[in-house]
Each structure stands twice: as C-alpha cells, then as structure tokens.
Amino acid sequence: MKKMITLFSFIALTFACSSDDDAPAPEIKFPSDYLVEGSPWNFTDIELLRINYNPNNLTIAEAQTLFKNTYTGFKLDFQENGTGSATLPDNSSYSFNWVLSTDYKTLTLTGNAPATFTNVLITENKFLWSDTDYCVADGQGDDVCADVRFTFE
C-alpha cells in the first residue's frame, strides 16, 4: 500500500510540473517599440478638429481636402537608436532625433525640423497625434489654421 501511495504521488507530481510551466513569459511591448517596429509610418488621414483661421472662408470639406492633399505622401521612419527620417510629399527628406515621453503622450523631434507631437497614440498598426493651430497654405496667398489629428499607418 505504501508503494502504491508513493507511485500515485510520483505520477501526480510529474503531471503537475509539466513542460508548459516552463514557457517564457510573453514579451511586453511599449509604444516606443511599436513606433520603431511599425516604421515607416505613412500618412493616411487628417481630421480637422476646429478651424481657427480661414480668411478665404473655405468650407470644412475644402479645408479638409486642402490639409489632406498637403500631407499625402508624407512618411516618418523611427529607428531604435533614437534617430529617424521624414520623407515629404515632394520626396525631399530630413533626419531627426526623437524622444517619446515617459507617459508616451508626447513625441519630440529635434534636428533639422524640430517638432513636438502631443496627444500621441501608438499601437501596432496606427500612429496618431494632435496639434493646435496647424497651418497650411490655401493656394490663394493665405494660410488656413486648424486644430488637427494626424493618422499614420
């Protein structure tokens, strides 16, 4: 009987300590990881949250099209070492250094074209940020300025 209890105990311990307990913990991903792994990020959309300056009285649809056409073809590429590059719609490019804040909500670019992106949201397949009073030329000699939300994929 003692041998039987020992045998059952051995079998129970063997199955309780199966190899699936040795599986590695899942890798934790941070927004900065997604920023690098998702690169290059291509501009896909811009949402006008509020028009602040519109001297030629463009309609919302006209202003939206103006902003979208200005950035179609814009691309951002982030490297793990904190450097990156931007390719503009005219295929010119510039390099930058980047830092993502510890709360992952502010992305700062320094170098040839310094910029600060606020209200940043980075997922595996989307990179969004907001800006206030962002201005583009309206083609009539004036600027249209708006609070905007950029989307890159």
Side-chain angles (χ1 to χ4, degrees):
M1 184 69 173
K2 205 175 204 183
K3 287 183 183 180
M4 192 66 106
I5 292 172
T6 303
L7 179 61
F8 285 126
S9 296
F10 175 74
I11 292 171
L13 284 173
T14 300
F15 288 110
C17 299
S18 65
S19 63
D20 67 338
D21 293 341
D22 296 331
E27 183 180 356
I28 297 173
K29 297 277 186 168
F30 294 97
S32 53
D33 297 324
Y34 292 136
L35 191 63
V36 171
E37 292 170 7
S39 288
W41 294 96
N42 296 298
F43 169 81
T44 56
D45 199 13
I46 189 166
E47 178 185 359
L48 297 172
L49 305 173
R50 181 179 67 183
I51 296 179
N52 302 322
Y53 183 70
N54 185 7
N56 292 313
N57 296 316
L58 299 178
T59 66
I60 297 286
E62 290 170 330
Q64 180 80 28
T65 299
L66 175 67
F67 274 79
K68 190 164 186 170
N69 288 345
T70 300
Y71 290 98
T72 296
F74 187 52
K75 181 170 65 172
L76 291 166
D77 193 12
F78 297 89
Q79 301 301 313
E80 193 171 351
N81 66 0
T83 64
S85 63
T87 304
L88 305 177
D90 66 2
N91 286 325
S92 63
S93 64
Y94 62 88
S95 59
F96 55 79
N97 294 313
W98 64 273
V99 175
L100 187 59
S101 64
T102 56
D103 66 0
Y104 308 114
K105 294 183 185 216
T106 304
L107 178 65
T108 304
L109 306 183
T110 58
N112 295 337
T116 301
F117 304 147
T118 58
N119 300 314
V120 171
L121 174 64
I122 306 165
T123 67
E124 262 184 282
N125 55 12
K126 283 197 187 224
F127 169 37
L128 301 99
W129 82 85
S130 300
D131 203 347
T132 56
D133 272 338
Y134 209 82
C135 300
V136 299
D138 69 1
Q140 299 175 43
D142 290 305
D143 285 344
V144 175
C145 301
D147 297 344
V148 296
R149 181 126 179 110
F150 284 90
T151 302
F152 283 70
E153 295 180 358

